[in-house]
Amino acid sequence: MGKGGSLSDGVLKKILLSYTYVAIWIFLSFTVIVYNKYILDKKMYNWPFPISLTMIHMSFCATLAVLVIKVFKLVEPVTMSWDLYFSSVVPIGALYSLSLWLSNSAYIYLSVSFIQMLKALMPVAVYSIGVLFKKEGFKSDTMMNMVSISLGVGIAAYGEARFDTWGVILQLGAVAFEATRLVMIQILLTSKGITLNPITSLYYVAPCCLAFLFLPWIFVEYPILRETSSFHFDFVIFGTNSLCAFALNLAVFLLVGKTSALTMNVAGVVKDWLLIAFSWSVIKDTVTPINLFGYGLAFLGVGYYNHSKLQALKAKEAQKKAAQTDEEAGRLLEETDAKRSESEN
């Protein structure tokens, strides 16, 4: 078909690959959430030990990361001093461990669908903490958007059939710690020119998570597990669960690296609706019309927030290109003037 045909084929291939990355991420994220719910829920597998489950995940991921980096040398480690490690990675690891601990704990008390609705507060938490740490500028229209998202989640909570105060506190705490972690990554690592892919991130962060989780585990869950002599570690259940968690970390890197963070946000909305439908139809969780109305309102707010971020990013890129064009034009003008001066002399 010629040049036009090959261009169309290339565009089509790029679109198909993007959809493939999105589908892989949605599948793995969906699987990890449902799998964790299955393990932790007292009505299902009935192993309500969120700290232990998180530590199993971190141990598995850290081991694989060490094998990939140190043994098989498939990924180059990031050069990092001990001072930078303790001042930057350790605080991020502490926040990550708290976020995972609390989010996994919430599955014991709340339905999968309601947890996804509460997670819609993530942009609110990230923006608020960003303003607090002066990484984001305060804008009244953005704050009104955050209020609309919060209102939507509040309505969804009001209509929740299985509302549990402790479960909501745990999930909101997980959102707060995760949002703080994301802001801290920008402040402590990105601003210093350090970027970690999922393998190097797990290599450095997972051991920190294990260290921080060990203390509460010793006092909270270990005494109960020690007395539960009937429990036998199921390598199939916990092995496949941990493998899914590790694969999800890779899928996040693949999706953001090959598409964009905005694509991941849009895919996240699709995943949330799928989880709500699954929770209602398969797990038989009650989803009320008020739930859906509230989450729909929050969803519109999140969609508008993502659109605003995209427009701001486009404007910034356009401004950067315009500055580069002006710089090149100025340089050409200087070269022309120099040549004219030489010819006159």
Side-chain angles (χ1 to χ4, degrees), residues 128-137 183 187:
S128 301
I129 294 168
V131 170
L132 184 65
F133 285 96
K134 297 181 179 179
K135 291 299 292 183
E136 293 271 2
V183 174
I187 295 173

Side-chain angles (χ1 to χ4, degrees), residues 268-303:
V269 172
V270 175
K271 177 208 68 179
D272 289 345
W273 283 110
L274 287 173
L275 279 166
I276 291 170
F278 180 86
S279 177
W280 170 73
S281 60
V282 179
I283 304 178
K284 302 301 179 183
D285 286 330
T286 302
V287 180
T288 67
I290 298 176
N291 274 150
L292 295 177
F293 174 76
Y295 181 66
L297 183 62
F299 160 71
L300 291 175
V302 172

Side-chain angles (χ1 to χ4, degrees), residues 35-48 231-235 237-238:
Y35 213 158
N36 286 353
K37 173 68 174 176
Y38 168 75
I39 291 172
L40 295 164
D41 198 298
K42 294 178 182 178
K43 296 179 181 177
M44 298 183 193
Y45 188 76
N46 190 23
W47 199 69
F231 173 73
H232 298 285
F233 190 86
D234 192 326
F235 285 94
I237 290 289
F238 293 103

